[in-house]
């Protein structure tokens, strides 16, 4: 089983949207997927409750207490963890201990980039990350095709010496679908093909 932790220190970076999209996409591909909600706000859990019965199945897990970490049913191919909105080293370490991969969404703003830079630096203080036992993938989230924000994000990636595995553009469709317990990978429509392709590099890296 592979465990994917979706985390960033900065709240509001689209972490839950990334987590549910990854989980739904993997389930749509035929994998058995658990979605572990470690965020006290329980956004992923509320999304699961709205999920229609005719969509790809996801096993919901309540990981909002540390004693629940790692409690995954047998037979799962993937566990996707939606981390708390404001995660610091002491809170991150137990979750990182469960993860094979960390996916970090970052928004195209100075405050988000600065917070993400510090979060990535702090992750290096965790032994499993420092020894290369946990992979790290960055997603440039809610991007716009042009403008100063996009240029600022490009500069940020140059500074940290990392490139995003995927660039996801800002679209209201994500909120509209989430309200119904859905993602782009549920009941796909041709008009959303371009948006789904934006996730392909990330999904390929996870597999």
């Amino acid at each position: 089983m592979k465990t994917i932790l979706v985390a960033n220190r900065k709240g509001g970076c689209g972490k839950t949207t990334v987590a549910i999209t990854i989980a739904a996409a993997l389930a749509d591909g035929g994998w058995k997927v658990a979605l572990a909600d470690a965020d006290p706000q329980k956004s992923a859990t509320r999304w699961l409750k709205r999920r229609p019965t005719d969509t790809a199945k996801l096993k919901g897990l309540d990981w909002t207490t540390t004693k629940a970490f790692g409690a995954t049913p047998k037979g799962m191919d993937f566990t996707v963890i939606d981390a708390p909105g404001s995660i610091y080293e002491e809170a991150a370490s137990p979750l990182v201990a469960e993860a094979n991969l960390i996916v970090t969404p970052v928004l195209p703003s100075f405050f988000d980039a600065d917070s993400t830079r510090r979060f990535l630096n702090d992750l290096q203080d965790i032994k499993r990350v420092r020894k290369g036992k946990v992979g790290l993938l960055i997603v440039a989230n809610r991007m716009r095709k042009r403008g100063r924000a996009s240029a600022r994000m490009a500069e940020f990636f140059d500074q940290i010496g990392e490139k995003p595995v995927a660039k996801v553009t800002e679209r209201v469709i994500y909120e509209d679908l989430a309200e119904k317990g859905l993602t782009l990978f549920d009941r796909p429509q041709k008009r959303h093909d371009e948006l789904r392709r934006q996730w392909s590099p990330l999904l390929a890296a996870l597999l």
Side-chain angles (χ1 to χ4, degrees), residues 9-173:
R9 170 176 290 169
K10 183 73 168 61
C13 63
K15 177 181 52 61
T16 299
T17 298
V18 171
I20 65 175
T21 301
I22 289 173
L26 292 172
D28 183 64
W31 303 98
K32 293 182 180 179
V33 182
L35 179 60
D37 194 344
D39 190 341
Q41 295 186 28
K42 294 191 175 184
S43 297
T45 299
R46 292 199 301 274
W47 173 80
L48 273 175
K49 289 179 179 179
R50 292 174 175 265
R51 193 158 171 78
T53 57
D54 61 346
T55 53
K57 302 302 179 187
L58 294 169
K59 177 65 176 178
L61 305 175
D62 184 351
W63 280 20
T64 52
T65 59
T66 54
K67 65 181 180 180
F69 292 175
T72 303
K74 292 182 179 179
M76 293 291 111
D77 298 307
F78 290 90
T79 295
V80 180
I81 308 170
D82 184 18
S86 297
I87 187 168
Y88 290 83
E89 184 181 344
E90 63 232 30
S93 295
L95 290 172
V96 171
E98 301 295 333
N100 304 108
L101 284 166
I102 300 172
V103 175
T104 298
V106 57
L107 300 188
S109 77
F110 166 77
F111 296 109
D112 285 86
D114 182 63
S115 179
T116 299
R117 182 186 297 106
R118 288 184 280 116
F119 174 68
L120 296 176
N121 286 338
D122 287 348
L123 282 179
Q124 295 303 315
D125 292 332
I126 299 175
K127 190 174 181 180
R128 289 192 75 235
V129 176
R130 189 169 61 252
K131 290 194 171 184
K133 294 182 178 180
V134 183
L136 177 64
L137 301 171
I138 303 176
V139 176
N141 197 24
R142 299 178 189 165
M143 294 292 291
R144 296 176 181 174
K145 291 185 178 181
R146 298 179 181 84
R148 285 180 294 178
S150 295
R152 185 183 298 116
M153 184 68 88
E155 182 180 353
F156 163 71
F157 288 119
D158 287 340
Q159 288 175 354
I160 66 171
E162 297 280 351
K163 295 296 181 185
V165 67
K167 295 181 180 180
V168 178
T169 53
E170 185 176 31
R171 291 290 189 277
V172 70
I173 187 63

